[in-house]
Amino acid sequence: MTDTTTSPRADGGDALVTAFNAVGADYLFCSSGSEWAPVWESLARRHRDGLPCPRYLDLTHETVAVGMATGYGLVSRRPQGVLLHAAPGLLQGSMAVHGALLAGVPMVVSSSESTTYGDGPGQDPGGQWYRNLSIVGGPHGVATPFTKWSTEAASVHTLPTMVTRAAELAWRAPAGPAYLNVPLEILLEEWDGREAKPLVPPGSTHSSPEEVDPVAQLIREARNPVIVTETAGREAGGFEALVAFAEAWNIPVVEPDSAVCGNFPRTHPLHAGNDIGPWMDEADLILLVNCRAPFYPPSRRPSKAQVVVIDEVPQRPHVVYQVLFADRYLEGNVTNTLRQLAKRAKDLDEAAVAVRRTAQDERHAAEQAAVADAEHRAGAQQQAEGVDPVLVAATLRELLDGAQGIVVDETITHSRVVKRHLRTAAPDSYFYVQGGLGQGIAVALGVKLAAGDRPVVLTIGDGAFAYNPVVPSYDASKAYELPLLIVVFNNRVYKSMNLNHRRFYPDGAAADTGEWLGTDLHRLPRLAQFAEPFGMHTETVDTAQALGPALERALKAVAEGTTAVVDVLVTR
């Protein structure tokens, strides 16, 4: 801390803005609330006087604010600031905050309460807290289950360093959101100007050679090893390190359905698909690389394989029930650990390597042939109405080829199709939205904010689209010039709900009468129309012949600076 005073009339709003500036926040993502007037005044003074401060984004829904911070953090990997309104705003944004926790995105979320209800000295905070906005135990108690760390800033003089502490905790593994309740009275209180020290990146951790060497020997002795990963690509340099590790040892890589980002090129000969099932009885060594939940059901353990877990924090504190069956742990930074293991790929049994490489080449060739066959059949269909979802994903892949595009995915029924046929092959080129549905547009906007000129595509189901705060998301897209391509896989049904109903009650009353409740979306209008009042490019596609030209026009509109929404009626 320093003893310099920024202004004789500085208050808690200045303290908070100064603190977010010190921790290196590029943005304050704010869904407005009446407690933030001190922050707005501080920003106005800084803008007037040419002083540094984070860029303020004025957003009209809490999910949009948190979701954009999540998307930005997925790419930047640095903590940003999020300002919500009191306990109700925190509750409204809580699903997205929980999604950030699952996605491992660092951020500092703040909202406020009153501690005096107008009966204390100083300015009147307003009766709304006394009547409606306060919550027993304070909002920091509410935030505890879905944040990494949650507390209250009890003094304006400790507020800057509390923000620093929150950002430091949020950034360190496992990264995630930290919450800070800042009472309005603290924001209005006079501040002496002592500033927080600028935030520095976390230090790097390493597994020791004494830990890595025995694992390298296990790999050397294995005849049929496999790598399974969910989030290796989320770590800085993790994508490239995993490729180097797998190539050095010639080990196939499985990205299960639970993988939530691009971890390994899906076009790579060592990519072994998304199903760990065939390996459960065949593998003699399973390397879980950033893989929080590889086995389902959790009791389904490998029949003979030893399990090595490579993960900086393998036991995720926010996962209620987690079973890894680990025989060994390498708990240093994943990128560092993979690099160490790659360097130890020496004295290999070339005959054993050749056998497993041949088997993997056959698997890869079979998968490539299956993908090509599925796409050929999808393109050959002559449906009177509707487009095969395989053709939608394949057409997107062709149009994005060479464009360095980023795909944000909020589909459920079609998520496997999207991953399999988009076949992303570069770091930070695919992200799956975590937590409850209804965040996808905001997360994609945040990704676009961080990605610059790279095109960003959101693939989303019609059910998920209906859960999103669409109007506030479109407002943010237009206000901050963040063009997206939104492709809706529209089957006019909550398909996953319907599938479970059929699975649980195959001979039930609904199967007999056709009364499938909780699933029908035919009553919704065609979804592209919601973008028209914002002057965005819209397309509605009902036939395979119209798909390619519509997507081409939409991508052209995005390149020219406007969000484009393509609502595709799919056949399943």
Side-chain angles (χ1 to χ4, degrees):
M1 298 177 68
T2 67
D3 292 325
T4 58
T5 301
T6 56
S7 165
R9 298 184 61 187
D11 59 18
D14 296 294
L16 193 66
V17 171
T18 299
F20 275 119
N21 200 55
V23 302
D26 301 316
Y27 292 94
L28 295 177
F29 299 87
C30 183
S31 179
S32 299
S34 50
E35 67 265 51
W36 298 122
V39 169
W40 297 333
E41 181 63 19
S42 175
L43 289 169
R45 281 198 299 266
R46 288 172 176 271
H47 295 158
R48 180 195 65 192
D49 299 339
L51 298 175
C53 58
R55 184 182 176 193
Y56 175 86
L57 299 186
D58 208 350
L59 305 165
T60 54
H61 196 282
E62 291 84 355
T63 298
V64 177
V66 182
M68 286 185 65
T70 299
Y72 189 84
L74 285 169
V75 178
S76 72
R77 299 180 173 87
R78 291 183 291 104
Q80 305 299 311
V82 179
L83 307 181
L84 306 178
H85 176 42
L90 175 63
L91 289 168
Q92 180 80 290
S94 61
M95 179 185 70
V97 178
H98 180 249
L101 181 69
L102 297 178
V105 172
M107 63 179 67
V108 178
V109 181
S110 288
S111 68
S112 192
E113 63 178 355
S114 174
T115 55
T116 66
Y117 308 104
D119 279 341
Q123 296 194 57
D124 180 7
Q128 64 269 33
W129 272 270
Y130 182 54
R131 293 189 300 270
N132 298 319
L133 297 183
S134 292
I135 194 164
V136 175
H140 47 291
V142 172
T144 298
F146 52 84
T147 57
K148 185 178 175 182
W149 178 81
S150 177
T151 195
E152 177 183 2
S155 167
V156 70
H157 306 297
T158 60
L159 176 57
T161 47
M162 289 290 276
V163 172
T164 299
R165 174 162 166 73
E168 288 180 334
L169 283 165
W171 205 354
R172 278 154 178 80
Y179 173 79
L180 195 60
N181 170 27
V182 187
L184 178 53
E185 288 83 351
I186 300 298
L187 290 170
L188 291 168
E189 190 175 343
E190 186 176 341
W191 173 50
D192 61 12
R194 290 178 293 171
E195 299 179 4
K197 183 180 183 298
L199 195 67
V200 296
S204 182
T205 60
H206 297 260
S207 294
S208 70
E210 291 78 13
E211 295 168 319
V212 174
D213 286 339
V215 171
Q217 187 60 29
L218 284 176
I219 302 172
R220 197 171 287 112
E221 295 169 356
R223 290 291 180 268
N224 197 18
V226 64
I227 298 165
V228 185
T229 184
E230 291 176 337
T231 61
R234 193 170 64 191
E235 311 299 327
F239 188 101
E240 298 88 342
L242 182 58
V243 172
F245 168 56
E247 289 178 344
W249 292 92
N250 268 290
I251 304 176
V253 177
V254 173
E255 287 185 287
D257 289 334
S258 52
V260 297
C261 61
N263 303 290
F264 195 82
R266 287 188 169 261
T267 55
H268 197 288
L270 286 172
H271 197 285
N274 68 338
D275 186 8
I276 192 177
W279 302 91
M280 296 297 287
D281 295 323
E282 298 175 8
D284 55 358
L285 179 65
I286 297 177
L287 299 149
L288 301 180
V289 181
N290 263 29
C291 199
R292 61 183 176 176
F295 310 119
Y296 189 83
S299 58
R300 187 192 182 197
R301 66 183 305 151
S303 60
K304 62 183 178 182
Q306 292 193 73
V307 177
V308 175
V309 174
I310 301 172
D311 197 321
E312 191 165 7
V313 185
Q315 298 296 338
R316 299 285 199 274
H318 60 269
V319 176
V320 175
Y321 185 59
Q322 187 182 19
V323 181
L324 298 175
F325 298 119
D327 295 292
R328 290 178 182 269
Y329 288 103
L330 292 179
E331 297 190 39
N333 174 270
V334 168
T335 300
N336 289 332
T337 302
L338 294 176
R339 288 169 179 165
Q340 287 190 62
L341 286 169
K343 291 177 181 177
R344 287 164 170 78
K346 301 172 183 176
D347 303 321
L348 307 186
D349 184 334
E350 298 299 338
V353 169
V355 169
R356 70 172 177 254
R357 186 59 190 257
T358 297
Q360 172 55 26
D361 287 344
E362 292 173 357
R363 278 189 295 266
H364 183 71
E367 170 64 8
Q368 296 295 95
V371 167
D373 180 62
E375 293 177 3
H376 174 74
R377 285 187 284 107
Q381 289 178 353
Q382 297 296 320
Q383 300 275 358
E385 185 180 59
V387 185
D388 192 303
V390 167
L391 185 61
V392 181
T395 304
L396 270 175
R397 182 191 70 238
E398 292 168 1
L399 293 175
L400 290 173
D401 185 35
Q404 295 184 304
I406 303 174
V407 176
V408 177
D409 186 18
E410 197 179 26
T411 61
I412 298 293
T413 304
H414 302 109
S415 61
R416 292 182 183 179
V417 169
V418 169
K419 290 178 183 177
R420 190 185 192 200
H421 293 277
L422 278 175
R423 295 162 64 188
T424 54
D428 293 338
S429 59
Y430 173 85
F431 298 105
Y432 190 79
V433 177
Q434 292 288 276
L437 293 175
Q439 308 170 62
I441 306 177
V443 172
L445 288 169
V447 168
K448 179 61 180 176
L449 187 65
D453 292 336
R454 295 178 67 182
V456 176
V457 178
L458 172 67
T459 53
I460 187 170
D462 52 326
F465 184 92
Y467 285 139
N468 272 258
V470 174
V471 170
S473 297
Y474 287 168
D475 171 65
S477 172
K478 188 163 186 177
Y480 297 108
E481 299 180 339
L482 299 171
L484 305 174
L485 170 58
I486 300 173
V487 180
V488 183
F489 286 66
N490 190 344
N491 55 14
R492 298 186 180 182
V493 66
Y494 281 120
K495 190 71 173 287
S496 61
M497 289 78 143
N498 186 253
L499 290 175
N500 268 351
H501 192 159
R502 293 174 184 272
R503 181 164 62 92
F504 296 149
Y505 302 98
D507 302 313
D512 183 48
T513 65
E515 185 183 11
W516 302 107
L517 300 176
T519 64
D520 186 17
L521 293 177
H522 280 81
R523 64 182 182 270
L524 293 180
R526 292 309 295 265
L527 300 178
Q529 296 173 4
F530 291 96
E532 291 175 0
F534 292 88
M536 294 172 174
H537 182 92
T538 63
E539 298 270 359
T540 298
V541 175
D542 291 339
T543 66
Q545 293 77 13
L547 176 66
L551 289 175
E552 285 189 55
R553 290 190 295 268
L555 279 169
K556 183 175 183 292
V558 171
E560 293 171 351
T562 185
T563 284
V565 184
V566 182
D567 178 18
V568 184
L569 179 65
V570 292
T571 54
R572 52 189 167 92

